[in-house]
């Protein structure tokens, strides 16, 4: 990573396993992260096209603060891939030369580590998993939701629900890995289920062995996506909590793979590659459409 090749830009777009975010730095931004602006930037026909927008770094007493937005303009508590992308941006743009940095989001504080500066491997702590109904945002009495009976898409599931930055519903499959068609059908039914009034992200999980898992992801905003960092972490946590896998696993997704580590205290970390896609400046016509 060579700092002398960096030039200020209005935006930078990165991808992590096909999950892509636009980073907008307040130093260069000509607009506020209003919902309508986020939607315009992320629009795949009239904007840059992205799964979301990362806005920062913002002033903080220590570390680096950021806001994460979904493509529909809603604010997201935290994204595993988004945090890794933002850490890489901080190093690449010269905000820091440190290998370890503190990231602050509305969901809490995370530690990010540049594991390999040549290949873009970044590890980020996602905090402690919370499998309780209050954290997940589920209806009904307070309860742990690691084995939650759920009727959806024509069958009964034994779902594992957990919050890691955002809420996730993990659906284990016994026989074979899911495909995209199954993920879209089941994901749409579960994400909008009455049990989850604010909707939920869905992961269809297949355990290959104690060190390897595969998932298909349906996000509550973006729909079927090639990968999700926090989704991979949620699936690994549920598999480990049920005794199906060890504390370190490789999670395989259509977009690629990540490593998830689970501590004895339930703290989860995520390691994988990040890559730049493009950086540039707003065309005058688009810039005029981005307000305040």
């Amino acid at each position: 990573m060579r700092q002398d090749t960096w030039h200020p830009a209005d935006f930078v777009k990165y991808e992590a396993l096909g999950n892509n975010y636009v980073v907008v730095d307040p130093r260069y931004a000509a607009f506020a992260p209003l919902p309508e602006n986020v939607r315009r930037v992320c629009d795949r026909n009239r904007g840059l096209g992205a799964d979301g927008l990362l806005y920062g770094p913002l002033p903080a007493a220590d570390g680096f603060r950021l806001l994460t937005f979904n493509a529909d303009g809603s604010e997201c508590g935290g994204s595993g891939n988004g945090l890794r992308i933002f850490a890489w941006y901080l190093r690449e743009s010269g905000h820091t030369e440190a290998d370890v940095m503190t990231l602050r989001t509305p969901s809490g504080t995370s530690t990010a580590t540049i594991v390999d500066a040549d290949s873009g491997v970044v590890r980020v702590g996602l905090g402690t998993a919370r499998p309780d109904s209050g954290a997940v945002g589920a209806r009904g009495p307070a309860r742990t939701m690691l084995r939650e009976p759920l009727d959806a898409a024509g069958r009964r599931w034994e779902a594992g629900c957990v919050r890691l930055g955002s809420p996730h519903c993990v659906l284990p499959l016994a026989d074979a890995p899911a495909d995209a068609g199954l993920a879209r059908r089941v994901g749409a039914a579960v994400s909008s289920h009455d049990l989850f009034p604010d909707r939920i992200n869905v992961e269809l999980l297949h355990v290959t062995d104690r060190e390897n898992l595969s998932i298909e992801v349906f996000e509550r905003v973006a729909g079927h996506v090639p990968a999700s960092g926090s989704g991979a972490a949620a699936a690994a946590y549920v598999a480990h909590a049920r005794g199906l896998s060890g504390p370190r696993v490789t999670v395989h997704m259509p977009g690629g793979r990540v490593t998830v580590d689970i501590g004895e205290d339930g703290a989860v970390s995520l390691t994988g590659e990040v890559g730049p896609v493009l950086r540039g400046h707003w065309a005058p016509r688009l810039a005029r459409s981005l307000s305040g």
Side-chain angles (χ1 to χ4, degrees), residues 67-161:
L67 298 175
T68 304
F69 297 91
N70 297 310
D72 67 352
S74 60
E75 191 169 348
C76 173
S79 160
N81 284 337
L83 288 170
R84 294 192 300 109
I85 284 171
F86 191 70
W88 186 254
Y89 169 76
L90 292 173
R91 268 291 294 269
E92 185 181 44
S93 62
H95 277 287
T96 182
E97 296 182 356
D99 287 333
V100 181
M101 60 201 79
T102 300
L103 306 182
R104 301 192 180 280
T105 73
S107 291
T109 300
S110 300
T111 299
T113 304
I114 308 297
V115 177
D116 188 331
D118 293 323
S119 58
V121 177
V122 182
R123 179 172 62 248
V124 66
L126 299 180
T128 302
R130 299 172 60 194
D132 59 285
S133 56
V136 170
R139 297 185 191 275
R143 62 200 185 278
T144 298
M145 298 187 69
L146 286 173
R147 295 182 180 272
E148 180 76 11
L150 177 66
D151 293 315
R155 62 171 284 184
R156 168 155 284 202
W157 305 87
E158 189 178 56
C161 301

Side-chain angles (χ1 to χ4, degrees), residues 5-290:
T5 65
W6 178 263
H7 301 286
D10 290 339
F11 65 85
V12 191
K13 184 177 180 180
Y14 296 88
E15 64 85 19
L17 309 177
N19 193 198
N20 46 71
Y21 281 87
V22 174
V23 179
V24 176
D25 191 323
R27 293 186 302 180
Y28 313 122
F31 65 92
L34 303 173
E36 58 268 28
N37 290 336
V38 174
R39 288 192 294 269
R40 184 64 188 272
V41 169
C42 294
D43 189 290
R44 297 193 183 275
N45 296 310
R46 297 182 176 180
L48 292 178
D51 295 319
L53 184 147
L54 307 173
Y55 192 83
L58 296 164
D62 62 317
F64 300 93
R65 186 165 66 90
L66 74 149
L67 298 175
T68 304
F69 297 91
N70 297 310
D72 67 352
S74 60
E75 191 169 348
C76 173
S79 160
N81 284 337
L83 288 170
R84 294 192 300 109
I85 284 171
F86 191 70
W88 186 254
Y89 169 76
L90 292 173
R91 268 291 294 269
E92 185 181 44
S93 62
H95 277 287
T96 182
E97 296 182 356
D99 287 333
V100 181
M101 60 201 79
T102 300
L103 306 182
R104 301 192 180 280
T105 73
S107 291
T109 300
S110 300
T111 299
T113 304
I114 308 297
V115 177
D116 188 331
D118 293 323
S119 58
V121 177
V122 182
R123 179 172 62 248
V124 66
L126 299 180
T128 302
R130 299 172 60 194
D132 59 285
S133 56
V136 170
R139 297 185 191 275
R143 62 200 185 278
T144 298
M145 298 187 69
L146 286 173
R147 295 182 180 272
E148 180 76 11
L150 177 66
D151 293 315
R155 62 171 284 184
R156 168 155 284 202
W157 305 87
E158 189 178 56
C161 301
V162 60
R163 187 175 194 93
L164 270 169
S166 55
H168 295 269
C169 180
V170 179
L171 305 175
L173 298 169
D175 298 329
D179 59 21
L182 183 65
R184 290 189 180 96
R185 180 171 63 84
V186 174
V190 174
S191 179
S192 59
H193 196 281
D194 288 344
L195 183 61
F196 309 110
D198 295 325
R199 298 175 62 86
I200 197 166
N201 303 304
V202 181
E203 288 77 37
L204 275 69
L205 162 69
H206 182 259
V207 179
T208 306
D209 54 47
R210 292 190 62 81
E211 288 78 39
N212 292 274
L213 316 174
S214 67
I215 63 170
E216 288 276 352
V217 182
F218 187 95
E219 293 190 342
R220 57 180 174 172
V221 173
H224 181 253
V225 294
S228 166
S230 58
Y237 177 83
V238 169
H240 181 57
R242 292 189 179 188
L244 302 175
S245 64
R248 164 170 279 201
V249 294
T250 299
V251 182
H252 303 260
M253 297 167 281
R257 62 187 183 182
V258 293
T259 300
V260 178
D261 290 280
I262 303 167
E264 293 183 1
D265 60 353
V268 181
S269 66
L270 176 74
T271 305
E273 292 185 2
V274 170
V277 176
L278 57 92
R279 63 179 184 239
H281 301 278
W282 311 116
R285 181 170 181 268
L286 180 58
R288 286 194 297 269
S289 73
L290 300 172

